């Protein structure tokens, strides 16, 4: 998506004489050379690695009883060592796509090896322990090889570990295991920053949101929903207007923190609407929801398309909800729309003035 927009902008600037054709071609080639840019070949290589790993494990499992125990262990160890040595050789030759595919096979083989060896020698443990160990090994592999592909595997393993916990404990909070989901999410985010696998960060953010949603199902209290709304908006404002000391860190994280923090706030407002169905508290909640949407558009609407569309959706849904629930007459509905329109128009005027000032400052700095 971004590459297509970049290419159109470059062609437009070349057509207007603002940029030389050779420079535009060099800029586009530089973007395509970045490891984070989309590559269909890398995607297909990763899918092939997943299929090959599944095929190998299924073949071993299907003939498990017929294979002597020593040969089983040797075959598993040989497979793991072979794919990692081959991946190292591929990285030395600059074949990152092939190396990533081999590392995916290695990471998946670790999980199969742990499970099969445990069954073979009747080792004590459970599925949760296997998932923790599997995730730890994938993390180590991602660090050693600085592999974004393995970071993706670790992200999915964090989801699988959380799912195993929910299934084994009937979605109840027991012990300290529930804290492992956010811990794994933080580890995945750290791996993303270390390896540069920017797209894998979404797995971590979605895991955190899923974990928060699970917390609400445990308590289903208004205080929890309010914490989501207030906490989400606080983090959103912090990412949109970061302190100078953390501004470089926030900018390097991209647009995802702002979107997901606002998504948490939106979920909190939705849960509050479920808890509050009538009375003056509903009116206050509605106005707060509208204000949060307008604030999101004002702070991130220009630079963050995901936040912009989510805020549009929240604003429109809230207006329709208030019109259908809290206003009983056509005159009252028109008054609500009139008041909201005036407030939004005022905010729009302020934002336009600020944008013009920021644009003028940017032009002066470039000059």
């Amino acid at each position: 998506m971004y590459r297509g927009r970049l290419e159109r902008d470059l062609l437009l600037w070349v057509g207007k004489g603002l940029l030389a054709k050779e420079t535009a071609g060099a800029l586009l080639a530089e973007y395509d050379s970045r490891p984070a840019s989309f590559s269909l070949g890398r995607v297909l290589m990763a899918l092939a690695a997943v299929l090959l790993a599944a095929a190998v494990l299924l073949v071993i499992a299907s003939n498990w009883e017929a294979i002597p125990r020593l040969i089983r262990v040797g075959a598993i160890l040989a497979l793991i060592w072979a794919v990692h040595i081959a991946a190292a050789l591929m990285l030395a030759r600059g074949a990152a796509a092939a190396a990533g595919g081999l590392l995916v096979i290695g990471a998946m083989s670790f999980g199969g090896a742990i499970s099969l060896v445990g069954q073979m020698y009747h080792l004590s443990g459970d599925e949760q322990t296997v998932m923790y160990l599997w995730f730890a090994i994938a993390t180590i592999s991602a660090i050693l090889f600085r592999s974004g592909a393995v970071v993706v595997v670790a992200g999915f393993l964090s989801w699988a570990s959380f799912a195993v916990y929910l299934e084994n404990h009937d979605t109840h909070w027991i012990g300290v295991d529930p804290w492992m989901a956010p811990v794994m999410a933080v580890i995945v985010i750290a791996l993303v920053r270390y390896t540069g696998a920017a797209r894998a960060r979404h797995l971590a953010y979605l895991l955190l949101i899923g974990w928060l949603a699970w917390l609400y199902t445990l308590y289903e209290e208004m205080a929890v929903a309010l914490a989501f709304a207030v906490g989400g908006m606080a983090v959103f404002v912090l990412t949109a207007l970061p302190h100078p000391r953390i501004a470089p860190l926030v900018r390097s994280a991209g647009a995802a923190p702002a979107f997901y923090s606002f998504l948490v706030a939106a979920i909190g407002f939705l849960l509050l609407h479920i808890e509050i169905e009538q009375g003056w508290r509903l009116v206050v909640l509605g106005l707060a929801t509208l204000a949060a949407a307008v604030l999101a558009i004002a702070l991130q609407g220009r630079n963050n398309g995901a936040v912009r569309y989510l805020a549009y959706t929240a604003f429109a849904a809230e207006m329709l909800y208030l019109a259908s629930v809290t206003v009983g007459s056509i005159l009252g509905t028109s008054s609500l729309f009139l008041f909201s329109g005036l407030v939004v128009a005022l905010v729009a005027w302020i934002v336009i003035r600020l944008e013009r000032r920021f644009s003028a400052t940017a032009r002066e700095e470039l000059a």
Side-chain angles (χ1 to χ4, degrees), residues 13-70:
W13 294 333
V14 169
K16 291 184 176 181
L18 301 175
L19 192 67
K21 186 175 182 180
E22 294 77 11
T23 304
L27 291 173
L28 196 61
E30 192 280 332
Y31 175 78
D32 290 336
S33 66
R34 297 178 185 178
S37 61
F38 175 79
S39 172
L40 180 60
R42 292 185 179 184
V43 173
L44 294 177
M45 185 67 71
L47 293 177
V50 172
L51 294 174
L52 289 174
V56 171
L57 294 178
L58 287 174
V59 168
I60 294 176
S62 63
N63 298 280
W64 200 240
E65 297 299 331
I67 303 176
R69 181 172 296 182
L70 184 60

Side-chain angles (χ1 to χ4, degrees), residues 307-354:
V307 170
R308 181 169 64 250
Y309 291 121
L310 179 59
Y312 287 161
T313 302
F315 186 90
E318 187 62 31
M319 288 296 298
L320 293 174
Y321 179 75
L322 290 177
S324 62
V325 174
T326 66
V327 182
S329 65
I330 297 178
L331 181 61
T333 304
S334 64
S335 300
L336 174 65
F337 287 161
L338 175 62
F339 175 76
S340 301
L342 292 175
V343 172
V344 174
L346 176 61
V347 174
W349 179 79
I350 296 174
V351 171
I352 291 173
R353 293 294 298 271
L354 291 175

Side-chain angles (χ1 to χ4, degrees), residues 17 32 45 52 94 107 144 162 180 211 216 229-230 295 306 328-329 346:
D32 290 336
M45 185 67 71
L52 289 174
L144 293 177
F162 186 45
M180 290 303 298
W211 185 75
Y216 179 77
V230 176
L295 180 63
S329 65
L346 176 61

